[in-house]
Amino acid sequence: MQTLYPEVKVAPPGPNARVIIEQDRRYASPSYIKEYPLVIERGEGPWVYDVDGNRFLDFMAGIAVTSTGHSHPQVVRAIRDASERFLHICGTDFYYDVFSRLCERLAGYLPEMGPKKVFLTNSGTEAVEGALKLARYHTRRPYVIAFKGGFHGRSYGALSLNSSKVTQRAFFGPLLPGVIHVPYANPYRCARGCPPNACEPSCNAAHALEKDWFVNHVDPREVAAIFVEPILGEGGYVVPPASFLQELRRICDQHGILLVFDEIQSGIGRTGRMFAAEHFGVMPDILLSAKGIASGMPLGAIIAREDVMTWPRGSHGSTYGGNPLCCAAALATLDVVEGMLEEVRATGELLQEGLRGLQRLHPVIGDVRGVGLMVGAEFVQPGTREPAATYVAELEQLAFQKGLLLLSCGKSTIRFAPPLVVRRHEVEVMLHILGECMDVLDARHPEVRT
Ligand code: PLP
């Protein structure tokens, strides 16, 4: 296999990119974020080529989506073959092979959950939205619990569960009533200011629920579900201790509450297991998937225990959900990802080791954490846990200029979520560029040197 390096021949945005950016600025909604002026022309594996001929190494995978890399030949072939047969018939109303095959395939993961049924959606948000409806329908209870720092999507139900960035919610209210937010277990950054890995029992979510919410505010018999990301994504790539999820399972069992794992970002091999739940030994009642499931084609899934997915015919549906091209892409993606899990774990370890090496040289890196290829490095003012947000913003831009695609999350964390096909050499190249960028930024920011 050819050894590639990033190549920036024209400082981005180059002349071709500028034309497209101008057009976009003129006509596209101002709500889009546009992290940096990347204008993609094509991609291959973990490499992205822009419209001015620059080559970038992709460590963000279109927000943890292109699991099999850009345009994986097996996935492209599956989409092409499916598109030559038919583009649409509507899986809600009729039958087709790839739809039912994908449902069967997804129902087969996490066998400890028992028999399952699957509802296919167009996005992660829709999977969350559908799960909210299902939880209320099945339990006939109005309340739901979610977590501070959590992110679940942009429509009203999903948005109401969010608590990671105020801009996502500002002036959109009133949101869905009956959502209770409790603290997520963040071993590095406790909301009450405990030192890393030294939280008091009263800092945990179980305590907040059992000693406060269920005593003073809401009867647990009125709570339909707890929605939780087993590894926090947009909120900062935070890996909680297993006891956090185990406690949630215990509370759910005790009160007949449904445990919903939003694995939209952490699922489909991202952590070196098909689903992050496998790392914690805790099984949900409802599992949500999207993002990496179809390598970039719009698809999501609600995978629920059979005895939970009790909603009747006509109660929920979707015109496009489970589109044949997306189902074909998903089946091919799952074939590829299932064969890569061991490699993902090994590459992820190399990545974390490398980041820890950089942490020793650059005290601005406060914490390195993650599982598999879902890795975060949190940047802080050295000696404190004050977010180094400006440093991170500049790092993202500088890395881009040097041909490396990064994406932040939380207040000041860089998430490393490359396509799962990334190889050791590419991890080493990424670490080298990151180190170079940090040398430049450390010189620019004397406050981060000790
Ligand atoms: N849930 C989680 C954990 C996510 O990370 C995201 C997207 O970032 C969503 C839900 C929403 O998914 P989508 O953007 O596909 O609607």
Side-chain angles (χ1 to χ4, degrees):
M1 216 178 286
Q2 200 188 355
T3 302
L4 291 176
Y5 294 87
E7 192 178 9
V8 181
K9 298 185 227 162
V10 184
N16 296 331
R18 280 203 294 271
V19 173
I20 293 167
I21 290 170
E22 254 328 293
Q23 188 179 41
D24 193 287
R25 285 207 178 125
R26 173 81 182 80
Y27 294 108
S29 161
S31 62
Y32 292 122
I33 298 169
K34 313 288 189 191
E35 292 284 339
Y36 38 80
L38 169 69
V39 182
I40 184 172
E41 189 186 54
R42 67 186 177 90
E44 195 179 341
W47 297 98
V48 165
Y49 297 80
D50 82 356
V51 288
D52 293 291
N54 295 318
R55 179 168 56 228
F56 299 88
L57 179 55
D58 182 0
F59 262 70
M60 54 93 190
I63 326 193
V65 167
T66 53
S67 46
T68 55
H70 293 279
S71 296
H72 191 288
Q74 239 171 289
V75 178
V76 170
R77 199 176 319 120
I79 298 168
R80 189 182 304 130
D81 290 352
S83 73
E84 282 169 4
R85 287 196 292 273
F86 62 98
L87 294 179
H88 177 76
I89 190 69
C90 187
T92 292
D93 290 323
F94 307 102
Y95 299 93
Y96 44 94
D97 168 55
V98 280
F99 188 103
S100 56
R101 266 204 289 143
L102 180 60
C103 291
E104 180 191 30
R105 183 84 169 257
L106 293 172
Y109 295 118
L110 302 191
E112 298 91 330
M113 277 175 73
K116 295 177 225 67
K117 288 206 184 275
V118 177
F119 183 96
L120 298 175
T121 69
N122 299 286
S123 68
T125 299
E126 279 177 62
V128 171
E129 206 67 34
L132 264 171
K133 286 175 67 180
L134 177 61
R136 277 187 167 173
Y137 181 89
H138 179 73
T139 61
R140 306 291 153 115
R141 300 175 177 191
Y143 289 97
V144 290
I145 292 164
F147 289 86
K148 297 187 184 193
F151 180 82
H152 301 277
R154 303 286 193 156
S155 60
Y156 267 98
L159 181 63
S160 306
L161 301 179
N162 289 357
S163 152
S164 58
K165 284 198 177 79
V166 79
T167 18
Q168 292 162 0
R169 291 164 63 106
F171 308 110
F172 291 130
L175 303 180
L176 201 68
V179 179
I180 296 159
H181 284 102
V182 290
Y184 195 86
N186 183 339
Y188 179 68
R189 183 180 288 286
C190 162
R192 296 165 70 185
C194 295
N197 295 305
C199 277
E200 300 290 325
S202 58
C203 298
N204 69 47
H207 189 278
L209 289 171
E210 294 184 311
K211 298 284 190 270
D212 180 22
W213 277 99
F214 293 169
V215 178
N216 300 317
H217 308 286
V218 172
D219 189 311
R221 288 172 303 177
E222 286 193 278
V223 177
I226 297 181
F227 278 75
V228 64
E229 295 164 82
I231 297 177
L232 208 55
E234 300 305 301
Y237 272 37
V238 176
V239 186
S243 58
F244 168 66
L245 298 168
Q246 287 158 1
E247 284 284 272
L248 296 181
R249 183 68 268 176
R250 176 184 63 72
I251 290 173
C252 286
D253 290 344
Q254 192 175 335
H255 299 290
I257 299 169
L258 297 173
L259 185 58
V260 184
F261 276 3
D262 179 342
E263 291 235 30
I264 285 162
Q265 190 145 176
S266 61
I268 314 296
R270 169 86 14 227
T271 65
R273 304 261 175 224
M274 211 54 193
F275 289 97
E278 296 166 66
H279 293 282
F280 300 99
V282 179
M283 291 298 129
D285 302 298
I286 302 177
L287 175 70
L288 306 180
S289 183
K291 284 198 183 276
I293 195 171
S295 296
M297 295 294 281
L299 188 81
I302 306 169
I303 306 164
R305 278 188 10 225
E306 193 173 81
D307 58 351
V308 166
M309 199 170 265
T310 49
W311 49 16
R313 180 167 183 254
S315 57
H316 194 55
S318 163
T319 298
Y320 297 120
N323 167 278
L325 275 58
C326 300
C327 290
L331 287 165
T333 298
L334 297 174
D335 286 344
V336 175
V337 169
E338 280 176 16
M340 273 177 2
L341 297 177
E342 202 180 319
E343 193 62 24
V344 168
R345 294 196 289 275
T347 326
E349 270 169 36
L350 181 77
L351 171 59
Q352 284 208 49
E353 263 167 45
L355 289 171
R356 293 223 164 79
L358 284 176
Q359 185 182 25
R360 286 191 283 280
L361 299 174
H362 302 271
V364 69
I365 300 184
D367 193 33
V368 174
R369 62 212 174 210
V371 190
L373 287 171
M374 184 167 188
V375 174
E378 184 162 342
F379 289 69
V380 295
Q381 304 301 337
T384 75
R385 276 175 290 161
E386 279 303 303
T390 309
Y391 189 103
V392 165
E394 288 177 26
L395 181 56
E396 232 182 38
Q397 300 298 329
L398 189 58
F400 172 58
Q401 292 298 330
K402 287 179 175 284
L404 172 63
L405 306 182
L406 296 176
L407 199 57
S408 63
C409 59
K411 293 206 164 39
S412 59
T413 296
I414 294 281
R415 72 180 99 187
F416 298 89
L420 304 180
V421 293
V422 77
R423 291 170 305 149
R424 298 173 76 86
H425 157 74
E426 287 139 0
V427 172
E428 280 154 12
V429 170
M430 187 285 291
L431 290 165
H432 180 76
I433 299 174
L434 188 66
E436 278 183 354
C437 293
M438 293 184 68
D439 287 341
V440 172
L441 289 177
D442 285 5
R444 201 186 286 172
H445 292 270
E447 74 280 7
V448 304
R449 300 197 298 266
T450 50

